[in-house]
Amino acid sequence: MISAAISGFLLGASLIIAIGAQNAFILRQGLLRQHVFVLSLICALSDALLIAAGVAGLGTLISQSPKLITAVTIGGALFLFSYAIIAFRRALKPEVLKAANAGEARLGPAIAACLAFTFLNPHVYLDTVVLLGSLSAAYEGQARLAFGLGAATASFVWFFGLGYGARLLEPVFARPASWRVLDFLIGAVMSAIGLSLVSRI
């Protein structure tokens, strides 16, 4: 069981530790220290839910429903392009946003954006439900459960580490130029992911 849990943890970590929409969003919120705990928890719990669904066998069902994948792909691409435009606009007019001085943004819109980055991204389903779900089939019984728990644990470690670790970079982001670069990179990442989704349709 320990071996299965470690395998699940390492595989889960390898899938989420990459530049993506979720990570870029949590990084920015972490730098601003806005709703870090709630948003990190939402991302981690969402991953855990999708991993559980994949381990339970939902991956096979989703892979056999191309219409569902196409619908999610279109919705995700439109959302990512919209957020990319917002990020590019911020990059054109950067501000000095120190955590201590940053105004507390409303929680509702932040949660809505977090859920959209999670559930409107087909890559999330392919990584957690389909891929992890398929690989978990190599294990049986408690070992399969341990594999899923290991993968889910990786999500918790990563998102909370990213959200709270971002504040270590606060001195760097005391300069407007740093925020210009970050928002430009976020916009570029969102655009690239959106284009990759469109190319799959």
Side-chain angles (χ1 to χ4, degrees):
M1 284 184 60
I2 295 178
S3 175
I6 293 175
S7 296
F9 182 90
L10 293 177
L11 181 59
S14 69
L15 292 175
I16 63 173
I17 301 177
I19 299 176
Q22 266 186 327
N23 291 340
F25 178 71
I26 294 298
L27 174 62
R28 194 172 201 281
Q29 295 300 121
L31 286 167
L32 296 174
R33 300 191 188 184
Q34 293 179 347
H35 315 301
V36 177
F37 179 82
V38 173
L39 298 177
S40 297
L41 183 62
I42 288 174
C43 287
L45 286 177
S46 297
D47 269 12
L49 177 64
L50 293 172
I51 290 170
V55 172
L58 185 60
T60 303
L61 179 62
I62 291 182
S63 63
Q64 295 176 347
S65 179
K67 289 184 178 180
L68 176 60
I69 294 177
T70 299
V72 173
T73 298
I74 294 174
L78 291 175
F79 174 76
L80 289 171
F81 285 136
S82 299
Y83 197 87
I85 292 173
I86 294 173
F88 284 133
R89 286 180 176 175
R90 285 197 307 254
L92 293 175
K93 296 182 179 180
E95 299 177 359
V96 178
L97 297 176
K98 293 184 179 179
N101 299 326
E104 187 74 3
R106 289 186 300 159
L107 178 60
I111 290 178
C114 187
L115 290 173
F117 282 128
T118 301
F119 293 103
L120 288 181
N121 183 2
H123 291 297
V124 172
Y125 298 98
L126 294 176
D127 288 346
T128 58
V129 180
V130 178
L131 181 57
L132 286 174
S134 299
L135 293 176
S136 70
Y139 302 92
E140 296 182 359
Q142 293 184 339
R144 188 170 186 176
L145 176 60
F147 178 88
L149 289 174
T153 299
S155 292
F156 277 88
V157 172
W158 171 251
F159 285 116
F160 279 96
L162 180 64
Y164 285 101
R167 63 188 58 186
L168 298 176
L169 298 174
E170 186 182 344
V172 176
F173 286 90
R175 301 189 297 271
S178 298
W179 284 98
R180 185 191 299 275
V181 172
L182 176 64
D183 281 322
F184 179 81
L185 290 176
I186 289 175
V189 168
M190 302 301 177
S191 298
I193 297 174
L195 288 173
S196 71
L197 294 182
V198 171
S199 67
R200 294 171 179 267
I201 300 177

